[in-house]
């Protein structure tokens, strides 16, 4: 490919709205352009990267027994009414009406569609197991699309659905997909970790997310530096980090004028915040509930929502707090709350606290030497706190680390969630009718491209892993008017091209410096410079984008050197 022919409009500046590096660089290097909020155009270089990622995915999906198909983007509302999800998703679901005023949505995912397909024709155990997948645009009307391709309203997803006879079959399909995902992200040259995303007990197997470790990641994960344990903090189980036992003392009230925060009260009483009970009131739908965590902890709203399922969970207002406790937020506590009127959910750590401090539910006062089960009762003790860096790994005890991750893949065990609601059944060997057992497995293809940039860049631009780079090599003749240099460069270009190397020759009449800057920004993995050295000693300069230094290669070793770098 001649660079002068390549439609890659590079820019010096980036749009002010670009917050993350992948958004900045993909725009600057001429890979994407924004069409509307969260909707992008993939220019030729991006399309080549997407095709390579898709090819790696297809290879593994087909290897795993998946069969590719193409499902409609336009989905009839009837299916979503059958599955019960038409009214579950609000504005995030792109809805539209056809000319007959029939309701449809643009597919944010395809469980309903694929289950409708399978229920049409699968009726016997002999048709199972079955794995069907597609690589297709998805539509989710994010309230605040941001971070370029990382959170768009239209994005490319590979979604595979597995159909099995029984749980054992699903477990097998899940394990096959889990391995395939590991292969895919390794072949894409990404530093990734599978993390547990299911609320089940440790080792819960209902769902895993494949996270690309990057500071710009929206997901927070805990991982063990010693073993392979990793979990999304949203669900990471927390074990009580018990305080040492003391003998129980009687509670008493103490004036704490103007002390309304955990820090102020702890300082005033000269106690660590671990000795305090933090009482937080939430409005859960129409009810006010109280939540207790140790003074130094944070409530995990996702876990709380699982413990107390409700449609809308938000912090209670000051008025609501006062109406329940009779005083302002800074002096509230569990003592004296009637758990019949106000449900009290306490984190597991509260249960072991001895002689703790909490608000007295009286302006200007706190209670000291308060003991759960003696001075107050709770509705339930549950794991509802946010896990923290340094806590022991639940599998091996080594202190956990925190990291940010970009979710590029997720695998779910769906069970019969959709086969029941859509009545997708099969007759087993005994002629019994059973619901098909399903799993679903997604990879964000466009998000993976952006994630690769988030993990592979420097001050000069993108550093593509060679496996997914748009081209392998750029040849830079330092001058196109010097016939000897241009002819040599063209000769190398022809040799590499005919050997199947994906190569661009920068035929522009520009200074070498400009060509080098563009080559670095775009992120070609290999740059071959043809200059004076060639004329003098029949050598070219080869530089890997990942390295600072270049090295000399004689004319007849160029192809073998390039092939060796690509093959790595
Ligand atoms: C919706 C909207 C947004 C959604 C969904 C439905 C996420 C929805 C979860 C999944 C699960 C898996 C198959 C591939 C892998 C992920 N956001 N999810 O179901 F209507 Cl607006 O998509 N689906």
């Amino acid at each position: 490919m001649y660079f002068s022919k390549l439609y890659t409009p590079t820019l010096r500046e980036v749009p002010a709205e670009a917050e993350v590096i992948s958004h900045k660089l993909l725009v600057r290097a001429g890979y994407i352009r924004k069409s509307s909020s969260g909707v992008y155009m993939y220019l030729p270089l991006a399309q080549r990267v997407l095709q390579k990622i898709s090819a790696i995915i297809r290879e593994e999906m087909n290897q795993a027994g998946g069969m590719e198909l193409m499902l409609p983007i336009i989905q009839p509302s009837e299916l979503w009414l059958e599955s019960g999800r038409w009214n579950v998703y609000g504005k995030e679901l792109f809805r539209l009406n056809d000319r007959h005023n029939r309701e449809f949505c643009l597919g944010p995912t395809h469980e309903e569609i694929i289950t409708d397909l399978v229920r049409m024709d699968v009726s016997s155990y002999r048709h199972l197991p079955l794995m069907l997948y597609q690589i297709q645009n998805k539509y989710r009307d994010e309230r605040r699309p941001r971070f370029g391709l990382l959170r768009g309203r239209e994005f490319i997803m590979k979604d595979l659905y597995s159909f099995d006879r029984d749980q054992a079959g699903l477990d097998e399909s899940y394990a096959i997909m889990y391995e395939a995902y590991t292969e895919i992200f390794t072949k894409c040259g990404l530093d990734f970790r599978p993390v547990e995303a299911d609320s089940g007990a440790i080792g819960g197997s209902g769902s895993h997310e494949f996270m690309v470790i990057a500071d710009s990641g929206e997901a927070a994960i805990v991982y063990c530096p010693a073993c392979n344990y990793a979990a999304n903090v949203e669900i990471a189980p927390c074990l009580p980090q018990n305080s040492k036992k003391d003998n129980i003392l009687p509670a008493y009230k103490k004036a704490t004028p103007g002390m309304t925060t955990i820090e102020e009260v702890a300082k005033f009483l000269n106690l660590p915040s671990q000795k305090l009970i933090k009482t937080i009131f939430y409005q859960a739908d129409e009810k006010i509930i109280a939540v207790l965590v140790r003074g130094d902890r944070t409530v995990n709203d996702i876990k709380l929502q699982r413990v107390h399922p409700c449609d809308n969970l938000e912090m209670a207002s000051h008025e609501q707090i006062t109406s329940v406790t009779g005083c302002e937020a800074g002096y509230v506590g569990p003592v004296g709350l009637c758990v019949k009127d106000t449900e009290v959910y306490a984190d597991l750590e509260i249960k072991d606290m001895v002689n703790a401090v909490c608000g007295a539910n009286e302006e200007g006062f706190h209670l000291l030497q308060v003991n759960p089960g003696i001075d107050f009762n709770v509705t339930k003790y549950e794991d509802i706190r946010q896990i923290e860096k340094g806590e022991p790994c639940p599998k091996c005890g080594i202190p956990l680390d925190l990291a940010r991750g970009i979710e590029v893949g997720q695998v779910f065990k769906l069970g019969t969630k959709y086969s029941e609601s859509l009545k997708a059944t099969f007759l087993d060997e005994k002629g019994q009718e059973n619901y098909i057992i399903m799993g679903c497995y997604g990879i964000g293809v466009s998000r993976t491209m952006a994630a690769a940039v988030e993990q592979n860049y420097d001050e000069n631009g993108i550093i593509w892993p060679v496996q997914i780079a748009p081209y392998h090599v750029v040849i830079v003749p330092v001058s196109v008017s010097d016939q000897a240099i241009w002819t040599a460069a063209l000769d190398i270009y022809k040799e590499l091209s005919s050997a199947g190397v994906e190569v661009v020759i920068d035929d522009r009449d520009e200074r070498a410096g400009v060509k080098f800057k563009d080559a670095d920004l775009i992120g070609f993995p290999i740059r071959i410079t043809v200059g004076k050295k060639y004329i003098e000693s029949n050598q070219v300069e080869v530089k890997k984008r990942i390295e600072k230094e270049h090295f000399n290669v004689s004319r007849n070793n160029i192809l073998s050197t390039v092939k060796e770098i690509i093959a790595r």
Side-chain angles (χ1 to χ4, degrees):
M1 167 59 79
Y2 282 34
F3 200 111
S4 62
K5 297 278 176 292
L6 204 49
Y7 187 59
T8 304
T10 55
L11 303 169
R12 285 282 157 270
E13 299 305 318
V14 284
E17 68 185 2
E19 297 167 65
V20 297
I21 192 65
S22 59
H23 188 188
K24 293 180 182 166
L25 289 177
L26 288 170
V27 170
R28 267 195 60 207
Y31 283 81
I32 62 172
R33 286 292 180 269
K34 182 170 122 178
S35 169
S36 63
S37 167
V39 181
Y40 290 87
M41 305 159 178
Y42 303 114
L43 276 58
L45 289 188
Q47 180 60 7
R48 288 178 71 94
V49 174
L50 292 168
Q51 291 306 326
K52 290 201 174 174
I53 294 170
S54 301
I56 290 170
I57 291 171
R58 280 195 177 88
E59 186 181 1
E60 291 305 323
M61 290 298 106
N62 297 342
Q63 179 94 27
M67 276 168 281
E68 185 170 4
L69 43 64
M70 181 65 88
L71 300 171
I73 286 177
I74 296 180
Q75 305 189 8
S77 58
E78 289 81 353
L79 283 181
W80 287 71
L81 287 164
E82 262 191 272
S83 70
R85 298 210 293 174
W86 183 252
N87 298 309
V88 165
Y89 289 89
K91 293 184 182 308
E92 195 187 352
L93 186 61
F94 269 109
R95 301 162 199 263
L96 70 157
N97 290 2
D98 69 7
R99 60 192 304 165
H100 307 292
N101 220 20
R102 288 184 292 237
E103 291 183 298
F104 294 82
C105 71
L106 296 183
T109 182
H110 282 72
E111 279 82 1
E112 283 81 359
I113 293 280
I114 195 74
T115 307
D116 184 35
L117 169 67
V118 164
R119 74 177 172 181
M120 288 173 192
D121 303 301
V122 168
S123 57
S124 156
Y125 67 95
R126 282 189 297 277
H127 300 141
L128 302 174
L130 178 63
M131 284 185 170
L132 299 169
Y133 77 95
Q134 64 171 348
I135 298 180
Q136 166 81 281
N137 276 358
K138 293 281 189 288
Y139 298 85
R140 295 178 186 177
D141 198 357
E142 300 285 347
R143 187 173 50 79
R144 192 161 171 247
R146 50 200 304 227
F147 303 160
L149 300 184
L150 290 180
R151 180 166 290 280
R153 298 195 296 166
E154 173 187 79
F155 53 94
I156 303 168
M157 182 194 274
K158 180 285 301 178
D159 41 331
L160 182 137
Y161 302 86
S162 63
F163 303 88
D164 281 285
R165 302 172 186 169
D166 51 28
Q167 185 63 38
L170 170 57
D171 292 346
E172 172 70 10
S173 297
Y174 189 90
I176 290 169
M177 278 295 119
Y178 187 97
E179 282 317 308
Y181 274 46
T182 304
E183 277 303 296
I184 287 166
F185 296 121
T186 305
K187 286 184 173 175
C188 287
L190 295 174
D191 167 21
F192 70 95
R193 271 179 181 265
V195 308
E196 288 173 25
D198 180 45
S199 63
I202 294 164
S205 58
S207 169
H208 284 82
E209 290 162 346
F210 284 75
M211 294 286 183
V212 162
I213 311 299
D215 292 344
S216 59
E218 284 191 290
I221 62 175
V222 279
Y223 69 95
C224 176
C227 73
N228 65 356
Y229 177 77
N232 190 315
V233 295
E234 286 177 359
I235 56 93
C238 297
L239 307 173
Q241 309 303 308
N242 297 333
S243 47
K244 60 188 181 310
K245 284 290 168 215
D246 286 327
N247 51 10
I248 305 268
L249 299 171
Y252 68 95
K253 193 162 76 171
K254 181 175 176 63
T256 52
M259 306 292 157
T260 59
T261 69
I262 292 285
E263 292 67 31
E264 287 168 336
V265 174
K267 194 158 178 298
F268 180 73
L269 299 175
N270 193 21
L271 285 171
S273 55
Q274 285 86 334
K275 292 294 284 178
L276 274 64
I277 293 173
K278 190 191 293 185
T279 306
I280 301 169
F281 287 89
Y282 284 81
Q283 179 182 346
D285 294 342
E286 299 320 307
K287 281 166 79 173
I288 303 296
I289 61 173
V291 175
L292 311 181
V293 291
R294 209 172 69 181
D296 58 322
R297 301 298 197 192
T298 312
V299 177
N300 176 320
D301 289 358
I302 306 269
K303 289 184 183 178
L304 177 58
Q305 179 102 23
R306 212 185 298 280
V307 164
H308 181 87
C310 57
D311 291 335
N312 187 39
L313 179 72
E314 56 191 49
M315 306 298 278
S317 67
H318 286 282
E319 298 69 34
Q320 288 169 324
I321 293 172
T322 309
S323 73
V324 168
T325 63
C327 77
E328 62 143 310
Y331 300 99
V332 295
V335 177
L337 283 185
C338 166
V339 295
K340 271 195 291 301
D341 307 341
T342 310
E343 286 168 83
V344 179
Y345 294 94
D347 181 64
L348 297 174
E349 277 182 337
I350 298 290
K351 197 180 183 97
D352 308 342
M353 290 179 83
V354 176
N355 303 331
V357 174
C358 67
N361 287 331
E362 187 179 336
E363 213 81 18
F365 287 89
H366 277 76
L367 295 175
L368 277 66
Q369 294 175 187
V370 166
N371 289 283
I374 297 173
D375 302 301
F376 66 92
N377 287 311
V378 302
T379 310
K380 275 170 93 176
Y381 286 103
E382 291 280 356
D383 172 4
I384 49 173
R385 71 176 175 84
Q386 187 88 344
I387 196 163
E388 291 170 14
K389 182 179 170 59
E391 291 193 42
C393 167
K395 278 173 86 170
C396 77
I398 298 288
L400 291 170
D401 272 338
L402 267 174
R404 310 273 330 159
I406 302 170
E407 179 189 324
V408 289
Q410 67 269 79
V411 291
F412 291 82
K413 290 185 178 178
L414 289 170
T416 57
K417 175 175 162 68
Y418 295 94
S419 49
E420 277 194 47
S421 53
L422 273 71
K423 298 180 184 42
T425 60
F426 72 97
L427 293 183
D428 62 20
E429 294 88 333
K430 302 190 218 46
Q432 292 290 325
E433 191 174 33
N434 299 283
Y435 289 118
I436 296 173
I437 312 287
M438 291 173 63
C440 65
Y441 317 82
I443 290 181
V445 179
S446 41
R447 184 181 268 191
T448 297
M449 173 166 72
V453 177
E454 289 292 329
Q455 274 196 337
N456 299 283
Y457 71 92
D458 66 10
E459 65 281 1
N460 299 317
I462 300 171
I463 304 176
W464 289 111
V466 70
Q467 307 91 318
I468 58 173
Y471 286 91
H472 299 130
V473 174
V474 61
I475 298 173
V476 177
V478 296
S479 151
V480 293
S481 47
D482 176 319
Q483 275 317 305
I485 287 182
W486 170 250
T487 312
L490 202 51
D491 180 59
I492 296 165
Y493 169 75
K494 285 174 182 156
E495 183 196 11
L496 295 183
S497 303
S498 51
V501 176
E502 295 169 28
V503 51
V504 171
I505 181 166
D506 195 337
D507 58 331
R508 295 176 296 168
D509 189 5
E510 298 271 1
R511 286 183 295 101
V514 168
K515 297 184 182 183
F516 290 166
K517 279 190 89 56
D518 279 345
D520 286 348
L521 174 63
I522 289 168
F524 297 112
I526 304 167
R527 185 186 80 200
I528 295 177
T529 306
V530 183
K532 229 178 19 294
K533 205 165 290 180
Y534 189 85
I535 308 303
E536 287 157 5
S537 58
N538 207 27
Q539 288 190 321
V540 294
E541 277 179 9
V542 175
K543 181 180 173 302
K544 293 184 210 170
R545 180 67 182 83
I546 194 79
E547 291 171 0
K548 287 281 171 250
E549 293 312 310
H550 54 73
F551 51 93
N552 296 331
V553 174
S554 60
R555 173 69 189 83
N556 49 24
N557 289 343
I558 296 175
L559 177 56
S560 55
T561 305
V562 165
K563 278 188 167 179
E564 192 263 330
I565 297 170
I566 295 171
R568 200 164 299 158

